[in-house]
Amino acid sequence: MIKSILIKNIVLIEKLSLELEKGLLIFSGETGAGKSIILSSLGLALGRRSEPGLIRNSANEGSVSIEFDIKEDHPAYLKLKDLDLIEGETLILRRVLDNSGKSRAFINDRKVTLSFLRDIGSSLLEIHGQNEKIGLLDPSSHLAILDKFGDYKELLIQIKEKHAICQKLEKIYYEANKIKENRMMYEEELKNKINLIKNLNLKNNEEEELSNKKNLLNHYEKIFLSINEIYSILNDDNGNYNKLASNGNKLEKIISASGKLPEIESIVQSLNVILIEAKEILGNINLLKDNFQYDEKEIENIEHRLFDINNISRKLNTKPSVLNEKLLKLENELNSINENEENIEKINTKLKIARESYKDNCEELTNKREKTAENLQDLVNKELEPLKLQDAKFRVNISTKEKNLWNAMGQDNVSFFVRLNKGLNEGEIHKVSSGGELSRLMLALNLVLAKSLNTKTLIFDEIDSGVSGAVADAIGKRLQELSKHQQTLVITHLPQVASRGKHHYRSYKIIENENTYTYLEKLNSSQRILEIAKMISGHNITEEAKIVANKLMQEN
């Protein structure tokens, strides 16, 4: 539900702040007092089209904010939560316009796209009035609306699951047949790939080891020049190693004779480490000299071998290090081809069973939808006569889709049709003429569907167009009943409707310094009686009108 509205610099509104509550909320005021501006402003916050002319004269930008109270089980809540756009149950939609015609959209002060604002806004607030083709008038929503009204959730879950199974089996069956059709060619291709890798006779890590050895051979001269120099320095023949060892021993004897000499002990320890590591270096150099001899022919052989390995890797679109793993996979694929023939028949049998089960559920769902549609039609049509729509007829049309279009929602197309007057052909509900008749039709639909639809705030404009007396009273009763299930805002000129409101707001305009301003005030009980009396007797309020207004308030 809407908790508050804040409008700044939109047409005649300089600043309007409004706190709203649950129930039936009445909005009234003289023609031209700004009710339509408020509706346009709400539309902006819901992502509707904007124009530069909406911004108040002398202002650089205008803005509209709507604060909603939204529960965690609302469909929009999950979308918002996934994008980290909400914490708790407070949601603020805001739209800012500037003089250039550009606009910015925000949800909880985070910038969002206009389409996302529109998506979230339409799930929270629905405006029924002239040129408003949303909510129940959106044909893409009719199937889901009927299903929620019918309450056969378990069957819908079954169909969704069985459709998923059919899709999975169809994909497997298609791929198996594709393999069968290309079996000989594919088998030959696999064998060629297997032979390429087998003939290579690749050892584990061979490519890496060869690359390292090639790198060493390519730098042989520089490497061994440095290694020989190191060997010459460390080798016993030159006496350097022996000199270090001898002097180290002398220092150890001095320490033994003299007691603790920490500074000298540290030097001796470091010297011993150097001597040990020098021995290891000499051993490694000797090992390298024994096992590694420069050979141009060997370099040539290594390069040829690396070329063969990398060439096959490129052909198979894989890395040299995983060629042997690739071999195992290819051999497994070759083995699976031989099993494919009998598997195709098994898959086909499973697919036939799955399709038949899915089809049975679809037919069961269609039957339930047809019964639900009859019930919905009857309930809506019973509501039409008291609303001065005695010649109107509402119908739910169910048709079967082309088989290739059957999906997780079954085999049906669902759309709402209506005929508003005798002698006219029925048409899809979103294509019939707008205005008061359509608003009253939407009232009847919303009332019947109130318990099954997701809770949202409803706004009715022009609902009292061309009606009075008993019809006006019937409209008022139904709006009051509807408001028990969802917050309902009504723009009205009818006392029978206004008197049933839980709260009443009046729009008015004043002129100051040749500037016009629109304001909105919440009426107290005595103010409400005067406003309803004005609806009864006109601008000159009579005592009789006050008495009638007070009586209507008392009764409702």
Side-chain angles (χ1 to χ4, degrees), residues 327-404:
L327 175 61
L328 289 174
K329 287 180 181 177
L330 292 170
E331 286 175 336
N332 287 335
E333 280 187 56
L334 185 62
N335 292 332
S336 69
I337 284 178
N338 299 324
E339 300 168 3
N340 191 52
E341 287 285 344
E342 54 191 75
N343 282 342
I344 287 176
E345 273 311 308
K346 289 178 182 176
I347 294 165
N348 190 31
T349 302
K350 285 183 180 179
L351 180 57
K352 284 178 181 176
I353 294 168
R355 280 174 174 167
E356 199 61 37
S357 179
Y358 167 70
K359 185 184 174 186
D360 289 343
N361 277 155
C362 283
E363 288 175 359
E364 183 185 352
L365 178 60
T366 299
N367 291 332
K368 285 186 178 292
R369 281 175 174 159
E370 286 172 348
K371 288 176 183 176
T372 302
E374 287 177 14
N375 186 29
L376 179 60
Q377 287 168 183
D378 290 343
L379 291 172
V380 172
N381 286 323
K382 281 176 185 174
E383 292 292 333
L384 297 182
E385 187 169 350
L387 296 174
K388 201 183 175 182
L389 292 169
Q390 62 275 12
D391 293 330
K393 187 175 182 182
F394 171 78
R395 184 175 70 85
V396 180
N397 185 68
I398 300 176
S399 60
T400 304
K401 297 177 181 178
E402 294 291 329
K403 206 159 190 176
N404 62 317

Coordinates of all heavy atoms in Angstrom, one line a residue, residues 327-404:
L327 N 42.8 -38.1 -25.1 CA 42.8 -39.5 -25.7 C 41.7 -40.3 -25.0 O 40.9 -41.0 -25.7 CB 44.1 -40.1 -25.6 CG 44.3 -41.5 -26.1 CD1 43.9 -41.7 -27.6 CD2 45.7 -42.1 -25.8
L328 N 41.7 -40.3 -23.7 CA 40.7 -41.1 -22.9 C 39.3 -40.7 -23.3 O 38.4 -41.5 -23.4 CB 41.0 -40.9 -21.4 CG 42.2 -41.6 -20.9 CD1 42.4 -41.2 -19.4 CD2 42.2 -43.1 -21.0
K329 N 39.0 -39.4 -23.4 CA 37.7 -38.9 -23.7 C 37.3 -39.3 -25.1 O 36.1 -39.7 -25.3 CB 37.7 -37.3 -23.6 CG 37.7 -36.8 -22.2 CD 37.7 -35.3 -22.2 CE 37.7 -34.7 -20.8 NZ 37.8 -33.3 -20.7
L330 N 38.2 -39.2 -26.0 CA 37.9 -39.6 -27.4 C 37.6 -41.1 -27.5 O 36.6 -41.6 -28.2 CB 39.0 -39.3 -28.3 CG 39.3 -37.8 -28.6 CD1 40.6 -37.6 -29.3 CD2 38.1 -37.2 -29.4
E331 N 38.3 -41.9 -26.7 CA 38.1 -43.4 -26.7 C 36.7 -43.7 -26.1 O 36.0 -44.6 -26.5 CB 39.2 -44.1 -25.9 CG 40.5 -44.1 -26.7 CD 41.7 -44.7 -25.9 OE1 41.6 -44.6 -24.7 OE2 42.6 -45.2 -26.6
N332 N 36.4 -42.9 -25.0 CA 35.0 -43.1 -24.4 C 33.9 -42.8 -25.4 O 32.9 -43.4 -25.4 CB 34.9 -42.3 -23.1 CG 35.8 -42.9 -22.0 OD1 36.1 -44.0 -22.0 ND2 36.2 -42.0 -21.1
E333 N 34.1 -41.7 -26.1 CA 33.1 -41.3 -27.1 C 33.0 -42.3 -28.2 O 31.8 -42.6 -28.6 CB 33.5 -39.9 -27.8 CG 33.2 -38.7 -26.9 CD 33.5 -37.4 -27.7 OE1 32.9 -37.3 -28.7 OE2 34.3 -36.6 -27.2
L334 N 34.1 -42.9 -28.6 CA 34.0 -44.0 -29.6 C 33.2 -45.2 -29.1 O 32.4 -45.8 -29.8 CB 35.4 -44.4 -30.0 CG 35.6 -45.4 -31.2 CD1 35.0 -44.8 -32.5 CD2 37.0 -45.8 -31.4
N335 N 33.5 -45.5 -27.9 CA 32.7 -46.7 -27.3 C 31.2 -46.4 -27.1 O 30.4 -47.2 -27.3 CB 33.3 -47.0 -25.9 CG 34.7 -47.5 -26.0 OD1 35.1 -48.2 -27.0 ND2 35.5 -47.3 -24.9
S336 N 30.9 -45.1 -26.8 CA 29.5 -44.7 -26.6 C 28.7 -44.8 -27.9 O 27.5 -45.0 -28.0 CB 29.4 -43.3 -26.0 OG 29.8 -42.3 -26.9
I337 N 29.4 -44.6 -29.1 CA 28.7 -44.6 -30.4 C 28.1 -46.0 -30.6 O 27.0 -46.1 -31.1 CB 29.7 -44.3 -31.5 CG1 30.0 -42.8 -31.5 CG2 29.2 -44.7 -32.9 CD1 31.0 -42.3 -32.6
N338 N 28.9 -47.0 -30.2 CA 28.4 -48.4 -30.4 C 27.1 -48.7 -29.6 O 26.3 -49.5 -29.9 CB 29.5 -49.4 -30.1 CG 30.7 -49.2 -31.0 OD1 30.5 -48.8 -32.2 ND2 31.9 -49.3 -30.5
E339 N 27.0 -47.9 -28.4 CA 25.9 -48.1 -27.6 C 24.7 -47.2 -28.0 O 23.6 -47.4 -27.5 CB 26.3 -47.8 -26.1 CG 27.4 -48.7 -25.6 CD 27.9 -48.2 -24.3 OE1 27.4 -47.2 -23.7 OE2 28.9 -48.8 -23.7
N340 N 25.0 -46.3 -28.9 CA 24.0 -45.3 -29.2 C 22.7 -45.8 -29.8 O 21.6 -45.3 -29.5 CB 24.6 -44.2 -30.1 CG 23.8 -43.0 -30.3 OD1 23.4 -42.4 -29.3 ND2 23.5 -42.6 -31.5
E341 N 22.8 -46.8 -30.7 CA 21.7 -47.3 -31.4 C 20.6 -47.8 -30.4 O 19.4 -47.4 -30.6 CB 22.1 -48.5 -32.3 CG 22.9 -48.1 -33.5 CD 22.0 -47.5 -34.6 OE1 20.8 -47.7 -34.5 OE2 22.6 -46.9 -35.5
E342 N 21.0 -48.6 -29.5 CA 19.9 -49.2 -28.6 C 19.5 -48.1 -27.6 O 18.3 -48.1 -27.2 CB 20.5 -50.4 -27.8 CG 21.8 -50.1 -27.1 CD 22.4 -51.4 -26.5 OE1 22.9 -52.2 -27.4 OE2 22.3 -51.6 -25.3
N343 N 20.4 -47.1 -27.3 CA 20.0 -46.0 -26.4 C 18.9 -45.1 -27.0 O 18.0 -44.6 -26.4 CB 21.2 -45.1 -26.0 CG 22.0 -45.8 -25.0 OD1 21.5 -46.7 -24.3 ND2 23.3 -45.4 -24.8
I344 N 19.0 -44.9 -28.4 CA 18.0 -44.1 -29.1 C 16.6 -44.6 -28.9 O 15.6 -43.8 -28.6 CB 18.3 -43.9 -30.6 CG1 19.6 -43.1 -30.7 CG2 17.2 -43.3 -31.4 CD1 20.1 -42.9 -32.2
E345 N 16.4 -45.9 -29.0 CA 15.1 -46.5 -28.8 C 14.6 -46.3 -27.4 O 13.4 -46.0 -27.1 CB 15.1 -48.0 -29.2 CG 14.9 -48.2 -30.7 CD 13.7 -47.5 -31.2 OE1 12.6 -47.6 -30.6 OE2 13.8 -46.8 -32.2
K346 N 15.5 -46.5 -26.4 CA 15.1 -46.3 -25.0 C 14.7 -44.9 -24.7 O 13.7 -44.6 -24.1 CB 16.3 -46.7 -24.1 CG 16.6 -48.2 -24.1 CD 17.8 -48.5 -23.2 CE 18.1 -49.9 -23.2 NZ 19.4 -50.2 -22.4
I347 N 15.5 -43.9 -25.3 CA 15.2 -42.5 -25.1 C 13.8 -42.2 -25.7 O 13.0 -41.5 -25.2 CB 16.3 -41.6 -25.7 CG1 17.6 -41.8 -25.0 CG2 15.9 -40.1 -25.7 CD1 18.8 -41.2 -25.7
N348 N 13.6 -42.7 -26.9 CA 12.3 -42.4 -27.6 C 11.1 -43.0 -26.9 O 10.1 -42.3 -26.8 CB 12.4 -43.1 -29.0 CG 11.2 -42.6 -29.9 OD1 10.7 -41.5 -29.8 ND2 10.8 -43.5 -30.8
T349 N 11.3 -44.1 -26.3 CA 10.2 -44.7 -25.5 C 9.9 -43.8 -24.2 O 8.8 -43.5 -23.9 CB 10.6 -46.1 -25.0 OG1 10.9 -46.9 -26.1 CG2 9.5 -46.7 -24.2
K350 N 11.0 -43.4 -23.6 CA 10.8 -42.5 -22.4 C 10.1 -41.2 -22.8 O 9.3 -40.7 -22.1 CB 12.2 -42.2 -21.8 CG 12.8 -43.3 -21.0 CD 14.1 -42.9 -20.3 CE 14.7 -44.0 -19.5 NZ 16.0 -43.7 -18.9
L351 N 10.5 -40.7 -24.0 CA 10.0 -39.4 -24.5 C 8.5 -39.5 -24.7 O 7.7 -38.6 -24.4 CB 10.8 -38.9 -25.7 CG 10.3 -37.6 -26.3 CD1 10.4 -36.5 -25.3 CD2 11.2 -37.3 -27.5
K352 N 8.1 -40.6 -25.4 CA 6.7 -40.8 -25.7 C 5.9 -40.9 -24.4 O 4.8 -40.3 -24.3 CB 6.5 -42.1 -26.5 CG 6.9 -42.0 -27.9 CD 6.7 -43.4 -28.6 CE 7.1 -43.3 -30.1 NZ 7.0 -44.6 -30.7
I353 N 6.4 -41.6 -23.4 CA 5.7 -41.7 -22.1 C 5.6 -40.3 -21.4 O 4.5 -40.0 -20.9 CB 6.4 -42.7 -21.2 CG1 6.3 -44.1 -21.7 CG2 5.8 -42.7 -19.8 CD1 7.2 -45.1 -21.1
A354 N 6.7 -39.6 -21.5 CA 6.7 -38.2 -20.8 C 5.7 -37.3 -21.5 O 5.0 -36.5 -20.9 CB 8.1 -37.7 -20.9
R355 N 5.7 -37.4 -22.9 CA 4.8 -36.5 -23.6 C 3.3 -36.8 -23.3 O 2.5 -35.9 -23.2 CB 5.1 -36.6 -25.1 CG 6.3 -35.8 -25.6 CD 6.5 -36.1 -27.1 NE 7.6 -35.3 -27.6 CZ 8.2 -35.5 -28.8 NH1 7.9 -36.6 -29.5 NH2 9.1 -34.6 -29.2
E356 N 3.0 -38.1 -23.2 CA 1.7 -38.5 -23.0 C 1.2 -38.1 -21.6 O 0.1 -37.6 -21.4 CB 1.6 -40.0 -23.1 CG 0.2 -40.6 -23.3 CD -0.5 -40.1 -24.6 OE1 0.2 -39.9 -25.6 OE2 -1.7 -39.8 -24.5
S357 N 2.1 -38.2 -20.6 CA 1.8 -37.8 -19.3 C 1.6 -36.2 -19.2 O 0.7 -35.7 -18.6 CB 2.9 -38.2 -18.3 OG 2.7 -37.8 -17.0
Y358 N 2.5 -35.5 -19.9 CA 2.4 -34.0 -20.0 C 1.0 -33.6 -20.6 O 0.3 -32.7 -20.2 CB 3.6 -33.5 -20.7 CG 3.4 -32.0 -21.2 CD1 3.5 -31.0 -20.2 CD2 3.3 -31.7 -22.5 CE1 3.4 -29.7 -20.6 CE2 3.2 -30.4 -22.9 CZ 3.2 -29.4 -22.0 OH 3.1 -28.1 -22.4
K359 N 0.7 -34.3 -21.7 CA -0.5 -34.0 -22.5 C -1.8 -34.3 -21.6 O -2.7 -33.5 -21.6 CB -0.6 -34.9 -23.7 CG -1.8 -34.6 -24.6 CD -1.9 -35.5 -25.8 CE -3.1 -35.3 -26.6 NZ -3.3 -36.3 -27.7
D360 N -1.7 -35.4 -20.8 CA -2.9 -35.7 -19.9 C -3.1 -34.6 -18.9 O -4.2 -34.2 -18.6 CB -2.6 -37.0 -19.2 CG -2.7 -38.2 -20.2 OD1 -3.3 -38.1 -21.3 OD2 -2.2 -39.3 -19.8
N361 N -2.0 -34.1 -18.3 CA -2.0 -33.0 -17.4 C -2.5 -31.7 -18.0 O -3.3 -31.0 -17.4 CB -0.7 -32.8 -16.7 CG -0.4 -33.8 -15.6 OD1 0.7 -34.0 -15.2 ND2 -1.5 -34.3 -14.9
C362 N -2.1 -31.5 -19.2 CA -2.5 -30.3 -20.0 C -4.1 -30.3 -20.2 O -4.7 -29.3 -20.0 CB -1.8 -30.2 -21.3 SG -0.1 -29.6 -21.2
E363 N -4.6 -31.5 -20.5 CA -6.0 -31.6 -20.7 C -6.8 -31.4 -19.4 O -7.8 -30.8 -19.4 CB -6.3 -32.9 -21.4 CG -5.9 -33.0 -22.9 CD -6.1 -34.4 -23.5 OE1 -6.5 -35.3 -22.8 OE2 -5.8 -34.5 -24.7
E364 N -6.2 -32.0 -18.4 CA -6.8 -31.8 -17.0 C -6.8 -30.3 -16.6 O -7.8 -29.8 -16.1 CB -6.0 -32.6 -16.0 CG -6.6 -32.6 -14.6 CD -5.8 -33.3 -13.6 OE1 -4.8 -33.9 -14.0 OE2 -6.1 -33.2 -12.4
L365 N -5.7 -29.6 -16.9 CA -5.6 -28.2 -16.6 C -6.6 -27.4 -17.4 O -7.3 -26.5 -16.9 CB -4.2 -27.7 -16.9 CG -3.9 -26.2 -16.6 CD1 -4.2 -25.9 -15.2 CD2 -2.5 -25.9 -17.0
T366 N -6.8 -27.8 -18.7 CA -7.7 -27.0 -19.6 C -9.2 -27.2 -19.0 O -9.9 -26.2 -19.0 CB -7.7 -27.6 -21.0 OG1 -6.4 -27.4 -21.6 CG2 -8.7 -26.9 -21.9
N367 N -9.5 -28.4 -18.6 CA -10.8 -28.6 -18.0 C -11.0 -27.8 -16.7 O -12.1 -27.2 -16.5 CB -11.0 -30.1 -17.6 CG -11.1 -31.0 -18.8 OD1 -11.6 -30.5 -19.9 ND2 -10.7 -32.2 -18.7
K368 N -10.0 -27.7 -15.9 CA -10.1 -26.9 -14.7 C -10.2 -25.4 -15.1 O -11.0 -24.6 -14.4 CB -8.9 -27.1 -13.8 CG -8.9 -28.4 -13.0 CD -7.8 -28.5 -12.1 CE -7.8 -29.9 -11.3 NZ -9.0 -29.9 -10.4
R369 N -9.5 -25.0 -16.1 CA -9.5 -23.6 -16.5 C -10.9 -23.2 -17.1 O -11.4 -22.1 -16.8 CB -8.4 -23.3 -17.6 CG -7.1 -23.1 -17.0 CD -6.0 -23.0 -18.0 NE -4.7 -22.6 -17.4 CZ -3.5 -22.8 -18.0 NH1 -3.5 -23.4 -19.2 NH2 -2.4 -22.5 -17.4
E370 N -11.5 -24.2 -17.8 CA -12.8 -23.9 -18.4 C -13.9 -23.7 -17.3 O -14.7 -22.9 -17.3 CB -13.2 -25.0 -19.3 CG -12.4 -25.0 -20.7 CD -12.6 -26.2 -21.5 OE1 -13.2 -27.2 -21.1 OE2 -12.2 -26.1 -22.7
K371 N -13.8 -24.6 -16.2 CA -14.7 -24.5 -15.1 C -14.5 -23.2 -14.3 O -15.4 -22.5 -13.9 CB -14.6 -25.7 -14.2 CG -15.1 -27.0 -14.8 CD -14.8 -28.2 -13.9 CE -15.3 -29.5 -14.5 NZ -15.0 -30.7 -13.7
T372 N -13.2 -22.9 -14.2 CA -12.9 -21.6 -13.5 C -13.3 -20.4 -14.3 O -13.8 -19.4 -13.7 CB -11.3 -21.5 -13.2 OG1 -10.9 -22.7 -12.5 CG2 -11.0 -20.3 -12.5
A373 N -13.2 -20.5 -15.6 CA -13.6 -19.4 -16.4 C -15.1 -19.2 -16.3 O -15.6 -18.0 -16.3 CB -13.2 -19.7 -17.9
E374 N -15.9 -20.3 -16.3 CA -17.4 -20.1 -16.2 C -17.7 -19.5 -14.9 O -18.6 -18.6 -14.8 CB -18.0 -21.5 -16.3 CG -18.0 -22.1 -17.7 CD -18.6 -23.5 -17.7 OE1 -19.2 -23.9 -16.7 OE2 -18.4 -24.2 -18.7
N375 N -17.0 -19.9 -13.8 CA -17.3 -19.3 -12.5 C -17.0 -17.8 -12.5 O -17.7 -17.0 -11.9 CB -16.5 -20.1 -11.4 CG -16.8 -19.6 -10.0 OD1 -17.9 -19.2 -9.7 ND2 -15.8 -19.7 -9.2
L376 N -15.8 -17.5 -13.0 CA -15.4 -16.1 -13.1 C -16.4 -15.2 -13.9 O -16.8 -14.1 -13.5 CB -14.0 -16.0 -13.6 CG -13.4 -14.6 -13.8 CD1 -13.3 -13.9 -12.4 CD2 -12.0 -14.6 -14.4
Q377 N -16.8 -15.8 -15.0 CA -17.7 -15.0 -15.9 C -19.0 -14.8 -15.1 O -19.5 -13.6 -15.1 CB -18.0 -15.9 -17.1 CG -16.9 -15.9 -18.1 CD -17.2 -17.0 -19.2 OE1 -16.3 -17.2 -20.1 NE2 -18.3 -17.7 -19.2
D378 N -19.5 -15.8 -14.5 CA -20.8 -15.7 -13.8 C -20.7 -14.6 -12.7 O -21.6 -13.8 -12.5 CB -21.3 -17.0 -13.2 CG -21.7 -18.0 -14.2 OD1 -21.9 -17.6 -15.4 OD2 -21.7 -19.2 -13.9
L379 N -19.7 -14.7 -11.9 CA -19.5 -13.7 -10.8 C -19.3 -12.3 -11.3 O -19.9 -11.4 -10.7 CB -18.3 -14.1 -9.9 CG -18.5 -15.5 -9.1 CD1 -17.1 -15.8 -8.5 CD2 -19.5 -15.3 -8.1
V380 N -18.6 -12.1 -12.3 CA -18.3 -10.8 -12.8 C -19.6 -10.2 -13.5 O -20.0 -9.1 -13.2 CB -17.2 -10.7 -13.9 CG1 -17.1 -9.4 -14.6 CG2 -15.9 -11.1 -13.2
N381 N -20.3 -11.1 -14.2 CA -21.5 -10.6 -14.9 C -22.6 -10.3 -13.9 O -23.5 -9.4 -14.2 CB -22.0 -11.7 -15.9 CG -21.1 -11.7 -17.2 OD1 -20.6 -10.6 -17.6 ND2 -20.9 -12.9 -17.7
K382 N -22.7 -11.0 -12.8 CA -23.7 -10.6 -11.7 C -23.4 -9.2 -11.2 O -24.3 -8.6 -10.7 CB -23.6 -11.7 -10.6 CG -24.3 -13.0 -11.0 CD -24.1 -14.0 -9.8 CE -24.8 -15.3 -10.2 NZ -24.5 -16.3 -9.2
E383 N -22.2 -8.8 -11.2 CA -21.8 -7.5 -10.7 C -22.1 -6.3 -11.6 O -22.1 -5.2 -11.2 CB -20.3 -7.4 -10.3 CG -19.9 -8.3 -9.1 CD -20.5 -7.8 -7.8 OE1 -20.7 -6.6 -7.7 OE2 -20.7 -8.7 -6.9
L384 N -22.3 -6.7 -12.9 CA -22.4 -5.6 -13.9 C -23.7 -4.8 -13.9 O -23.7 -3.6 -14.1 CB -22.2 -6.2 -15.3 CG -20.8 -6.8 -15.5 CD1 -20.6 -7.3 -17.0 CD2 -19.7 -5.8 -15.2
E385 N -24.8 -5.5 -13.7 CA -26.1 -4.8 -13.8 C -26.2 -3.7 -12.7 O -26.6 -2.6 -13.0 CB -27.3 -5.8 -13.7 CG -28.6 -5.1 -13.9 CD -29.8 -6.1 -14.0 OE1 -29.5 -7.3 -14.2 OE2 -30.9 -5.7 -14.1
P386 N -25.9 -4.0 -11.4 CA -26.0 -2.9 -10.5 C -25.1 -1.7 -10.8 O -25.3 -0.6 -10.3 CB -25.6 -3.6 -9.1 CG -25.8 -5.0 -9.4 CD -25.5 -5.2 -10.8
L387 N -24.1 -1.9 -11.6 CA -23.1 -0.9 -11.9 C -23.5 -0.2 -13.2 O -22.6 0.5 -13.9 CB -21.7 -1.5 -12.1 CG -21.1 -2.1 -10.8 CD1 -19.8 -2.8 -11.0 CD2 -20.9 -1.0 -9.7
K388 N -24.8 -0.3 -13.6 CA -25.3 0.3 -14.9 C -24.5 -0.2 -16.1 O -24.2 0.5 -17.0 CB -25.2 1.9 -14.8 CG -26.1 2.6 -15.8 CD -25.9 4.1 -15.8 CE -26.8 4.7 -16.9 NZ -26.6 6.2 -16.9
L389 N -24.3 -1.5 -16.1 CA -23.7 -2.2 -17.2 C -24.5 -3.4 -17.5 O -24.0 -4.5 -17.8 CB -22.2 -2.6 -16.9 CG -21.2 -1.5 -16.7 CD1 -19.9 -2.0 -16.1 CD2 -20.9 -0.8 -18.0
Q390 N -25.8 -3.2 -17.5 CA -26.8 -4.3 -17.7 C -26.7 -4.9 -19.1 O -27.1 -6.1 -19.3 CB -28.2 -3.8 -17.4 CG -28.8 -2.8 -18.3 CD -28.4 -1.4 -17.8 OE1 -27.5 -1.2 -16.9 NE2 -29.0 -0.3 -18.4
D391 N -26.2 -4.1 -20.0 CA -26.1 -4.7 -21.4 C -24.7 -5.3 -21.7 O -24.4 -5.8 -22.8 CB -26.4 -3.6 -22.4 CG -27.9 -3.1 -22.4 OD1 -28.7 -4.0 -22.0 OD2 -28.1 -1.9 -22.6
A392 N -23.9 -5.2 -20.7 CA -22.5 -5.6 -20.9 C -22.4 -7.1 -20.6 O -23.2 -7.7 -19.8 CB -21.5 -4.9 -20.0
K393 N -21.4 -7.8 -21.2 CA -21.2 -9.2 -20.9 C -19.7 -9.5 -21.0 O -19.0 -9.1 -21.9 CB -21.9 -10.0 -22.0 CG -21.8 -11.5 -21.6 CD -22.7 -12.4 -22.6 CE -22.6 -13.8 -22.2 NZ -23.4 -14.7 -23.2
F394 N -19.2 -10.1 -19.9 CA -17.8 -10.4 -19.8 C -17.6 -11.9 -20.1 O -18.4 -12.7 -19.7 CB -17.3 -10.1 -18.3 CG -16.0 -10.6 -18.0 CD1 -14.8 -10.0 -18.5 CD2 -15.8 -11.8 -17.2 CE1 -13.6 -10.4 -18.1 CE2 -14.5 -12.3 -16.9 CZ -13.4 -11.6 -17.4
R395 N -16.6 -12.2 -20.8 CA -16.3 -13.6 -21.2 C -14.8 -13.9 -21.1 O -14.0 -13.1 -21.5 CB -16.9 -13.9 -22.5 CG -16.8 -15.4 -23.0 CD -17.4 -15.7 -24.3 NE -16.7 -15.1 -25.4 CZ -15.7 -15.6 -26.0 NH1 -15.2 -16.8 -25.7 NH2 -15.1 -15.0 -27.1
V396 N -14.5 -15.1 -20.6 CA -13.1 -15.6 -20.7 C -13.0 -16.5 -21.8 O -13.7 -17.6 -21.9 CB -12.7 -16.3 -19.4 CG1 -11.3 -16.8 -19.4 CG2 -12.9 -15.4 -18.1
N397 N -12.1 -16.2 -22.8 CA -11.9 -17.0 -24.0 C -10.7 -17.9 -23.8 O -9.6 -17.4 -23.4 CB -11.7 -16.1 -25.2 CG -11.6 -16.9 -26.5 OD1 -12.5 -17.5 -26.9 ND2 -10.4 -16.9 -27.0
I398 N -10.9 -19.2 -23.9 CA -9.8 -20.2 -23.8 C -9.6 -20.9 -25.2 O -10.6 -21.4 -25.7 CB -10.0 -21.2 -22.7 CG1 -10.2 -20.5 -21.4 CG2 -8.9 -22.2 -22.7 CD1 -10.5 -21.4 -20.2
S399 N -8.5 -20.8 -25.7 CA -8.2 -21.5 -27.0 C -6.9 -22.3 -26.9 O -6.1 -22.0 -26.0 CB -8.1 -20.4 -28.2 OG -7.0 -19.5 -27.9
T400 N -6.8 -23.3 -27.8 CA -5.6 -24.2 -27.7 C -4.5 -23.6 -28.6 O -4.8 -23.3 -29.8 CB -6.0 -25.6 -28.2 OG1 -7.1 -26.1 -27.3 CG2 -4.8 -26.5 -28.0
K401 N -3.3 -23.6 -28.1 CA -2.2 -23.1 -28.9 C -1.8 -24.2 -29.9 O -2.1 -25.3 -29.8 CB -1.0 -22.9 -28.0 CG -1.2 -21.8 -26.9 CD 0.1 -21.8 -26.0 CE 0.0 -20.7 -24.9 NZ 1.1 -20.7 -24.1
E402 N -1.0 -23.7 -30.9 CA -0.4 -24.7 -31.8 C 0.6 -25.6 -30.9 O 1.1 -25.1 -30.0 CB 0.5 -23.9 -32.8 CG -0.3 -23.1 -33.8 CD -1.1 -23.9 -34.8 OE1 -0.7 -25.0 -35.1 OE2 -2.2 -23.5 -35.2
K403 N 0.7 -26.8 -31.3 CA 1.3 -27.8 -30.5 C 2.8 -27.4 -30.2 O 3.3 -27.6 -29.1 CB 1.3 -29.2 -31.1 CG 1.4 -30.3 -30.1 CD 0.9 -31.6 -30.7 CE 0.8 -32.6 -29.5 NZ 0.2 -33.9 -30.0
N404 N 3.5 -26.8 -31.1 CA 4.9 -26.4 -30.9 C 5.0 -25.2 -29.9 O 6.1 -24.9 -29.5 CB 5.5 -26.0 -32.2 CG 4.9 -24.8 -32.9 OD1 3.7 -24.7 -33.0 ND2 5.7 -23.9 -33.4

